[in-house]
Amino acid sequence: MPATANLWALTEKEKQTLRLIVRGYDAKSVARSLGLSVHTINERLREARRKMGVSSSREAARLLFETEGDGRSAPIRELSADKEIGEDRGPGPIDQVPAPVDGVGRAYRHSPIIIGVLLMTLALGLLASIMVPNMVLVPASPPAASDEAAHSAVVDAARQWLALLDQGRWDDSYRATGSAFRTLNTAQIWADISRKVRTPLGAVMSRTFFSQENLPAPPAGYEVVKFRTRFANKADAVETVTLDREDDQWRVVGVTIG
């Protein structure tokens, strides 16, 4: 049950402002770009945060970015701090690339089974999350000896979590997700979606590790692990699991099966 921007009842003006924020603008440069006062921009951001139930404008912008799945957007850069900016500040650098005003339809035809924060947020939303087409993913460098344990731990965490889905242990899999995921989903919603999407695929016949990539999205980046999986009722599938480091453990914040 993928999240949509309509979930928060954002106005087009609020979404337009968040799209500029996710591209690296601060409130001052957003105001200059749109020909508005900084006070107006701050009011839009404050209202968007209230509707989305977050305390950070950068978090609100990231959630909208992951939800819309806008492949034309530039990769997320370091966002400005969430603070009120007065009009007496000196002008800052302005990104001349226009931000999209209208949302776009989802380019992926995959059947998402979870809202991630990807980065999701991600989107993944991150990264549920729904993976964003054409987003720049930085391939993980070949792990040095000191990094092999961390690399293996991410893949193992993703594999063990998918095993919970294979067994229909929806509550256990929900408890193993990150706080960002649980903010957007209740245990009941997750169980209902899992029964609807995962159960019809049938038993797992084979699951092979395919790749691991780092998604450099705020606040600290996400790890994206992919497996090639053969189900009893789907011969060739790709499972994409997005994980975040939380409380010294890898927690799932998004997954797609396509």
Side-chain angles (χ1 to χ4, degrees), residues 35-191:
L36 301 171
S37 70
V38 176
H39 174 75
T40 298
I41 298 303
N42 281 327
E43 285 296 319
R44 287 187 186 180
L45 292 173
R46 184 179 300 109
E47 185 65 12
R49 293 197 301 269
R50 183 189 66 79
K51 291 179 179 179
M52 300 175 77
V54 298
S55 59
S56 163
S57 294
R58 73 176 66 183
E59 177 70 3
R62 182 181 63 80
L63 286 175
L64 179 65
F65 179 89
E66 293 179 348
T67 299
E68 290 188 326
D70 188 350
R72 295 176 300 167
S73 297
I76 300 175
R77 299 182 296 179
E78 181 178 354
L79 302 180
S80 58
D82 295 316
K83 56 185 179 181
E84 304 291 333
I85 301 178
E87 296 187 13
D88 57 345
R89 300 283 182 90
I94 300 177
D95 187 346
Q96 298 298 327
V97 180
V101 174
D102 298 323
V104 299
R106 194 167 310 287
Y108 267 34
R109 300 302 179 186
H110 297 166
S111 298
I113 84 169
I114 179 176
I115 303 171
V117 178
L118 286 82
L119 316 58
M120 270 113 72
T121 208
L122 338 135
L124 37 269
L126 59 176
L127 170 16
S129 134
I130 300 170
M131 302 308 299
V132 181
N134 299 328
M135 177 177 284
V136 177
L137 293 177
V138 179
S141 301
S146 59
D147 296 332
E148 290 180 355
H151 177 89
S152 176
V154 175
V155 176
D156 288 347
R159 191 185 296 275
Q160 292 170 15
W161 188 82
L162 289 174
L164 296 176
L165 300 187
D166 299 339
Q167 300 167 32
R169 296 167 59 184
W170 318 130
D171 289 342
D172 290 339
S173 64
Y174 181 80
R175 284 191 290 269
T177 59
S179 59
F181 174 84
R182 294 193 300 273
T183 298
L184 297 176
N185 300 275
T186 65
Q188 185 60 53
I189 289 175
W190 168 239

